[in-house]
Amino acid sequence: MLELRNLSKHFGGVRAVDDLSLTVNQGEIFGLIGPNGSGKSTTVNLVCGVFPTTSGAVLFEGRDITDAPSHRVVAAGIARTFQNIRLFGDLTVWQNLWVAQNSAEERSKGWFGRWLGGDRTGRGDAEELLKFAGLELRSGELARNLAFGEQRRLEMARALAARPKLLLLDEPAAGMNAEEVSQLATRIRALRKYGMTILLVEHVMELVMGVTDRIAVLNFGQKIAEGTPAEIRDDPAVRTAYLGTADA
Amino acid sequence: MLDDHLIGVLSNMGMISFIALSAYLVLVVGEISFGQQAFFAISAYASGIASAMWGWPFLGAVLWGAAIAGLAGLLLAIPTLRIRGLYFAIATLAFAEMVRLALEIFTYRVEVDGELVGPDGSEGFRDIRYIYEADISAGAFLLVILALLAVTLGAILWIERTRLGAVMRMVGEDPVLARLQGVNVNLTKIATVAAAGLIAGIGGALYAHLNTYVEPKIFNVMLGVHGLAYGLIGGLGTAFGPLLGVALDIGVLESTRAFSGYRMIVFGGLVAVLLIVRPRGLLDEAAVYRIRRFLLRKDAGD
Ligand SMILES: Nc1ncnc2c1ncn2[C@@H]1O[C@H](COP(=O)(O)OP(=O)(O)O)[C@@H](O)[C@H]1O
Ligand SMILES: [Mg+2]
C-alpha cells in the first residue's frame, strides 16, 4: 500500500534518511523504530510532503506521490499525528475534528457545500470520533485547554477524521504513563479491526512489540533490520544499535 | 436628530471600519499588510470615474470600485504568494506606495456638462458630486455607510461560523498543519487577500463620494497602519474586534478631544502596551470563546 523506494533526505551534511526502502501492506500495522535522531520523523515528513525529498520515491497505492503537496497527500488517503502535539489551540475540540474531515464523500460535496456548510455538516462522524477518543464531554473546550493525554487522543481522532486509508502515528505514546499506553494499544488494535493500515513510529517498546505485525529498524537513516517483532527482538544488530550494547 | 459633528464622526468611523476589517482578514490568515490603503484608493478612483465620468448610479459605482479593488487584491496576492511574514508585509507596503505614485501621474479627463472632470495627477480627482446632485443628506449617507458596513460585517461573521472561517484561522495559526488537514493554504490566502481588497474598496468608494474630492496623498501609509492597528487593538478573535479598535481610536481619542494633541501618543502607546500584554488584541480568540460560553449559558438558563 505504501512503498518507499531508495528514499533519502539530507539536511546539509546530515543524512537524516539514507536510501530507505520499505513496503507497508494493506491492513498491516507496521512498526518503524530506531534510536533518537535515526530519521523516523523525517520519514513521516517525507511521506506527507512537509519538505522535499533529496532522492528516491514515495508510492501510495501504486501512485507516485513523491513531493506532492500535503493537501494532496491527505486527499490520497494518508493522515498523521505529530511527535510534538500539533493542534489548533484556538479552535475547540469539536472544530479540530470538523475541519479535518476529508473523506472522499466530503470532498465530493462541492465547494459551497463543503466550505460554507456551517458546523452542522459531518456531525455524526465527529461524534463517533469524540467517543472513540473519550472526549465526548470536552467537545466545546478550546484545544489549548486540554490536558496532555487528551490532546494526544484528540490528535489521533483528528487524523481519523480525514477517513484515511493509511494512518501515520509519530510516537503516539511519548509522554504517556503505562495505563495510557495500554489504552492506546487497545485503540490501535480496534483500528486494525476496521481495516486501517498503520505505520507506527515508536520508541516505547512494549507498544511496538505488542501491536505490530512487522517492524523495520532505522539507525542513522538506514534500515538495519526488518521482520516480525520476535525476529527483531532477537536481532543482534538491532540490539547493538538500539540498546547501545551487544549483550543487552 | 444627530448634529453635523456627530454625523461626520460616525461616517468617518464607518468608512475607516472597512479598512480595519480588510486588514483584519489578512491578519486572520497570518499575514500583516501595510498596504490596504491602496485598495481603498483604487476603489475611490474607480468608483469616482464610474459615477462622475461615465454617469453610473451610485451603488453600481461602489460595487464597480470594490470589484476593481478585489481584482487588484488578487493581482497582489498571486505573486506575493510565495513570500511570508516580514517579506509579505514589505511587499504590501511597496505595492501601496506604487499605487499612490501611479495615482500622482494618473490623468484621465473627459468633458461632462461642459466641464472637464476626472483624475488629474497630483491635483487629485475633484467633483465626484453624485450624492449632492442626487440631494442625499449627510444623515442619509451615514445610513448608506452603516447599511453597507452591516452587510459586510454580517457576511464576515457568517463566514467565520463556517468551515471556511475555521480554515482561515488554521492557516493563520499553523499553515503546515493546515495543509496536512487537506487545506489548500495558498488558495485560502489568495482568496482572503482578494476579499480584503474588495472590502477596503467599499470603504474607498464611500469616502470618494462623501468627500467629492480625493488626492493621492490621502492614501499614505498612515491610513494603512491605522487600519492594521484597529484589529490589533480591538482583537483578532472576531470581526467585532477591528470595529472596537475603530471606536476606541476615532470614537474616543479623536472625537472627544479629551486627548487632543496627544492622540497619536496615546494611540501609539495603546498599541505598544497591547502588543505586549494582549498580542491578539482585546477581543482575542480566548476572550471571544469565554464571551460565547457566557452567552450560551445565559440562553440555557432562560
Ligand atoms: N528540519 C530539519 N532540519 C535539519 N535537520 C533536521 C531536520 N529534521 C530532522 N533533522 C535531523 O535529521 C536527523 C533525524 O531526525 P528525526 O527524523 O527527527 O529523528 P527521529 O524522529 O528518529 O528521532 C537528526 O539528526 C535531526 O537533527
Ligand atoms: Mg522523531
PDB file of all heavy atoms in Angstrom, chain A residues 93 127 130-131 133-141 146 150 153, chain B residues 289 293:
ATOM      1  N   VAL A  93     -12.326  21.552  20.498  1.00  0.00           N
ATOM      2  CA  VAL A  93     -12.098  20.138  20.217  1.00  0.00           C
ATOM      3  C   VAL A  93     -12.933  19.716  19.011  1.00  0.00           C
ATOM      4  O   VAL A  93     -12.446  19.121  18.054  1.00  0.00           O
ATOM      5  CB  VAL A  93     -12.482  19.305  21.452  1.00  0.00           C
ATOM      6  CG1 VAL A  93     -12.532  17.824  21.117  1.00  0.00           C
ATOM      7  CG2 VAL A  93     -11.495  19.578  22.578  1.00  0.00           C
ATOM      8  N   GLU A 127     -18.958  13.000  16.184  1.00  0.00           N
ATOM      9  CA  GLU A 127     -19.466  12.472  17.452  1.00  0.00           C
ATOM     10  C   GLU A 127     -18.837  11.118  17.743  1.00  0.00           C
ATOM     11  O   GLU A 127     -18.415  10.822  18.854  1.00  0.00           O
ATOM     12  CB  GLU A 127     -20.992  12.310  17.407  1.00  0.00           C
ATOM     13  CG  GLU A 127     -21.796  13.579  17.181  1.00  0.00           C
ATOM     14  CD  GLU A 127     -21.711  14.556  18.340  1.00  0.00           C
ATOM     15  OE1 GLU A 127     -21.283  14.136  19.437  1.00  0.00           O
ATOM     16  OE2 GLU A 127     -22.050  15.738  18.135  1.00  0.00           O
ATOM     17  N   LEU A 130     -15.256  11.492  18.745  1.00  0.00           N
ATOM     18  CA  LEU A 130     -15.138  12.005  20.114  1.00  0.00           C
ATOM     19  C   LEU A 130     -15.271  10.855  21.097  1.00  0.00           C
ATOM     20  O   LEU A 130     -14.541  10.764  22.086  1.00  0.00           O
ATOM     21  CB  LEU A 130     -16.231  13.037  20.383  1.00  0.00           C
ATOM     22  CG  LEU A 130     -16.012  14.425  19.795  1.00  0.00           C
ATOM     23  CD1 LEU A 130     -17.242  15.290  20.004  1.00  0.00           C
ATOM     24  CD2 LEU A 130     -14.794  15.084  20.403  1.00  0.00           C
ATOM     25  N   LYS A 131     -16.194   9.968  20.812  1.00  0.00           N
ATOM     26  CA  LYS A 131     -16.408   8.824  21.692  1.00  0.00           C
ATOM     27  C   LYS A 131     -15.180   7.907  21.657  1.00  0.00           C
ATOM     28  O   LYS A 131     -14.704   7.455  22.689  1.00  0.00           O
ATOM     29  CB  LYS A 131     -17.675   8.065  21.247  1.00  0.00           C
ATOM     30  CG  LYS A 131     -18.598   7.746  22.408  1.00  0.00           C
ATOM     31  CD  LYS A 131     -19.901   7.136  21.928  1.00  0.00           C
ATOM     32  CE  LYS A 131     -20.939   8.199  21.600  1.00  0.00           C
ATOM     33  NZ  LYS A 131     -22.020   7.699  20.739  1.00  0.00           N
ATOM     34  N   ALA A 133     -12.203   8.666  21.129  1.00  0.00           N
ATOM     35  CA  ALA A 133     -11.066   9.264  21.822  1.00  0.00           C
ATOM     36  C   ALA A 133     -11.387   9.576  23.282  1.00  0.00           C
ATOM     37  O   ALA A 133     -10.560  10.111  24.005  1.00  0.00           O
ATOM     38  CB  ALA A 133     -10.643  10.541  21.097  1.00  0.00           C
ATOM     39  N   GLY A 134     -12.615   9.242  23.711  1.00  0.00           N
ATOM     40  CA  GLY A 134     -13.006   9.532  25.089  1.00  0.00           C
ATOM     41  C   GLY A 134     -13.063  11.021  25.378  1.00  0.00           C
ATOM     42  O   GLY A 134     -12.727  11.468  26.469  1.00  0.00           O
ATOM     43  N   LEU A 135     -13.517  11.800  24.397  1.00  0.00           N
ATOM     44  CA  LEU A 135     -13.539  13.254  24.580  1.00  0.00           C
ATOM     45  C   LEU A 135     -14.959  13.820  24.456  1.00  0.00           C
ATOM     46  O   LEU A 135     -15.133  15.018  24.243  1.00  0.00           O
ATOM     47  CB  LEU A 135     -12.636  13.927  23.533  1.00  0.00           C
ATOM     48  CG  LEU A 135     -11.124  13.692  23.677  1.00  0.00           C
ATOM     49  CD1 LEU A 135     -10.373  14.183  22.443  1.00  0.00           C
ATOM     50  CD2 LEU A 135     -10.575  14.376  24.920  1.00  0.00           C
ATOM     51  N   GLU A 136     -15.976  12.957  24.603  1.00  0.00           N
ATOM     52  CA  GLU A 136     -17.343  13.453  24.375  1.00  0.00           C
ATOM     53  C   GLU A 136     -17.690  14.644  25.251  1.00  0.00           C
ATOM     54  O   GLU A 136     -18.417  15.533  24.848  1.00  0.00           O
ATOM     55  CB  GLU A 136     -18.441  12.461  24.570  1.00  0.00           C
ATOM     56  CG  GLU A 136     -18.424  11.031  24.635  1.00  0.00           C
ATOM     57  CD  GLU A 136     -17.474  10.144  25.307  1.00  0.00           C
ATOM     58  OE1 GLU A 136     -16.268  10.476  25.432  1.00  0.00           O
ATOM     59  OE2 GLU A 136     -17.914   9.088  25.720  1.00  0.00           O
ATOM     60  N   LEU A 137     -17.126  14.673  26.473  1.00  0.00           N
ATOM     61  CA  LEU A 137     -17.502  15.741  27.390  1.00  0.00           C
ATOM     62  C   LEU A 137     -16.680  17.006  27.189  1.00  0.00           C
ATOM     63  O   LEU A 137     -16.947  18.028  27.799  1.00  0.00           O
ATOM     64  CB  LEU A 137     -17.343  15.266  28.844  1.00  0.00           C
ATOM     65  CG  LEU A 137     -18.215  14.054  29.193  1.00  0.00           C
ATOM     66  CD1 LEU A 137     -17.921  13.571  30.603  1.00  0.00           C
ATOM     67  CD2 LEU A 137     -19.691  14.401  29.037  1.00  0.00           C
ATOM     68  N   ARG A 138     -15.678  16.928  26.319  1.00  0.00           N
ATOM     69  CA  ARG A 138     -14.782  18.066  26.147  1.00  0.00           C
ATOM     70  C   ARG A 138     -15.013  18.756  24.811  1.00  0.00           C
ATOM     71  O   ARG A 138     -14.236  19.635  24.430  1.00  0.00           O
ATOM     72  CB  ARG A 138     -13.325  17.586  26.214  1.00  0.00           C
ATOM     73  CG  ARG A 138     -13.019  16.781  27.444  1.00  0.00           C
ATOM     74  CD  ARG A 138     -13.004  17.645  28.668  1.00  0.00           C
ATOM     75  NE  ARG A 138     -11.671  18.175  28.902  1.00  0.00           N
ATOM     76  CZ  ARG A 138     -11.412  19.262  29.616  1.00  0.00           C
ATOM     77  NH1 ARG A 138     -12.406  19.937  30.145  1.00  0.00           N
ATOM     78  NH2 ARG A 138     -10.196  19.662  29.800  1.00  0.00           N
ATOM     79  N   SER A 139     -16.060  18.384  24.119  1.00  0.00           N
ATOM     80  CA  SER A 139     -16.210  18.788  22.729  1.00  0.00           C
ATOM     81  C   SER A 139     -16.208  20.310  22.521  1.00  0.00           C
ATOM     82  O   SER A 139     -15.725  20.798  21.519  1.00  0.00           O
ATOM     83  CB  SER A 139     -17.461  18.118  22.177  1.00  0.00           C
ATOM     84  OG  SER A 139     -18.340  19.041  21.688  1.00  0.00           O
ATOM     85  N   GLY A 140     -16.708  21.070  23.517  1.00  0.00           N
ATOM     86  CA  GLY A 140     -16.774  22.526  23.339  1.00  0.00           C
ATOM     87  C   GLY A 140     -15.567  23.273  23.875  1.00  0.00           C
ATOM     88  O   GLY A 140     -15.501  24.495  23.819  1.00  0.00           O
ATOM     89  N   GLU A 141     -14.599  22.527  24.411  1.00  0.00           N
ATOM     90  CA  GLU A 141     -13.433  23.177  25.033  1.00  0.00           C
ATOM     91  C   GLU A 141     -12.421  23.606  23.970  1.00  0.00           C
ATOM     92  O   GLU A 141     -12.286  22.934  22.935  1.00  0.00           O
ATOM     93  CB  GLU A 141     -12.792  22.162  25.990  1.00  0.00           C
ATOM     94  CG  GLU A 141     -11.742  22.703  26.919  1.00  0.00           C
ATOM     95  CD  GLU A 141     -12.267  23.762  27.861  1.00  0.00           C
ATOM     96  OE1 GLU A 141     -13.152  23.450  28.696  1.00  0.00           O
ATOM     97  OE2 GLU A 141     -11.801  24.897  27.757  1.00  0.00           O
ATOM     98  N   LEU A 146      -6.897  21.569  26.893  1.00  0.00           N
ATOM     99  CA  LEU A 146      -6.956  20.140  27.222  1.00  0.00           C
ATOM    100  C   LEU A 146      -5.696  19.700  27.958  1.00  0.00           C
ATOM    101  O   LEU A 146      -4.620  20.274  27.791  1.00  0.00           O
ATOM    102  CB  LEU A 146      -7.058  19.299  25.943  1.00  0.00           C
ATOM    103  CG  LEU A 146      -8.309  19.430  25.098  1.00  0.00           C
ATOM    104  CD1 LEU A 146      -8.270  18.407  23.978  1.00  0.00           C
ATOM    105  CD2 LEU A 146      -9.563  19.261  25.928  1.00  0.00           C
ATOM    106  N   GLU A 150      -5.268  14.126  26.804  1.00  0.00           N
ATOM    107  CA  GLU A 150      -6.446  14.428  25.981  1.00  0.00           C
ATOM    108  C   GLU A 150      -6.026  14.989  24.631  1.00  0.00           C
ATOM    109  O   GLU A 150      -6.622  14.683  23.591  1.00  0.00           O
ATOM    110  CB  GLU A 150      -7.334  15.448  26.692  1.00  0.00           C
ATOM    111  CG  GLU A 150      -7.994  14.915  27.945  1.00  0.00           C
ATOM    112  CD  GLU A 150      -8.777  16.002  28.672  1.00  0.00           C
ATOM    113  OE1 GLU A 150      -8.288  17.153  28.754  1.00  0.00           O
ATOM    114  OE2 GLU A 150      -9.873  15.712  29.165  1.00  0.00           O
ATOM    115  N   ARG A 153      -4.996  12.228  22.405  1.00  0.00           N
ATOM    116  CA  ARG A 153      -6.159  11.495  21.876  1.00  0.00           C
ATOM    117  C   ARG A 153      -6.871  12.301  20.803  1.00  0.00           C
ATOM    118  O   ARG A 153      -7.328  11.767  19.794  1.00  0.00           O
ATOM    119  CB  ARG A 153      -7.121  11.146  23.017  1.00  0.00           C
ATOM    120  CG  ARG A 153      -6.473  10.292  24.093  1.00  0.00           C
ATOM    121  CD  ARG A 153      -7.475   9.475  24.867  1.00  0.00           C
ATOM    122  NE  ARG A 153      -8.477  10.255  25.567  1.00  0.00           N
ATOM    123  CZ  ARG A 153      -8.345  10.712  26.821  1.00  0.00           C
ATOM    124  NH1 ARG A 153      -7.247  10.475  27.507  1.00  0.00           N
ATOM    125  NH2 ARG A 153      -9.308  11.394  27.382  1.00  0.00           N
TER     126      ARG A 153
ATOM    127  N   TYR B 289     -14.151  33.238  23.033  1.00  0.00           N
ATOM    128  CA  TYR B 289     -14.615  31.929  23.492  1.00  0.00           C
ATOM    129  C   TYR B 289     -15.341  32.048  24.826  1.00  0.00           C
ATOM    130  O   TYR B 289     -16.425  31.495  25.008  1.00  0.00           O
ATOM    131  CB  TYR B 289     -13.411  30.993  23.627  1.00  0.00           C
ATOM    132  CG  TYR B 289     -13.715  29.668  24.259  1.00  0.00           C
ATOM    133  CD1 TYR B 289     -14.413  28.687  23.553  1.00  0.00           C
ATOM    134  CD2 TYR B 289     -13.331  29.412  25.571  1.00  0.00           C
ATOM    135  CE1 TYR B 289     -14.697  27.483  24.140  1.00  0.00           C
ATOM    136  CE2 TYR B 289     -13.624  28.201  26.166  1.00  0.00           C
ATOM    137  CZ  TYR B 289     -14.299  27.239  25.448  1.00  0.00           C
ATOM    138  OH  TYR B 289     -14.595  26.037  26.035  1.00  0.00           O
ATOM    139  N   ARG B 293     -19.331  31.380  25.510  1.00  0.00           N
ATOM    140  CA  ARG B 293     -19.748  30.433  26.550  1.00  0.00           C
ATOM    141  C   ARG B 293     -20.752  31.072  27.491  1.00  0.00           C
ATOM    142  O   ARG B 293     -21.761  30.489  27.840  1.00  0.00           O
ATOM    143  CB  ARG B 293     -18.536  30.013  27.383  1.00  0.00           C
ATOM    144  CG  ARG B 293     -17.764  28.892  26.798  1.00  0.00           C
ATOM    145  CD  ARG B 293     -17.541  27.866  27.859  1.00  0.00           C
ATOM    146  NE  ARG B 293     -17.561  26.553  27.267  1.00  0.00           N
ATOM    147  CZ  ARG B 293     -16.973  25.492  27.811  1.00  0.00           C
ATOM    148  NH1 ARG B 293     -16.342  25.600  28.962  1.00  0.00           N
ATOM    149  NH2 ARG B 293     -17.049  24.328  27.229  1.00  0.00           N
TER     150      ARG B 293
END
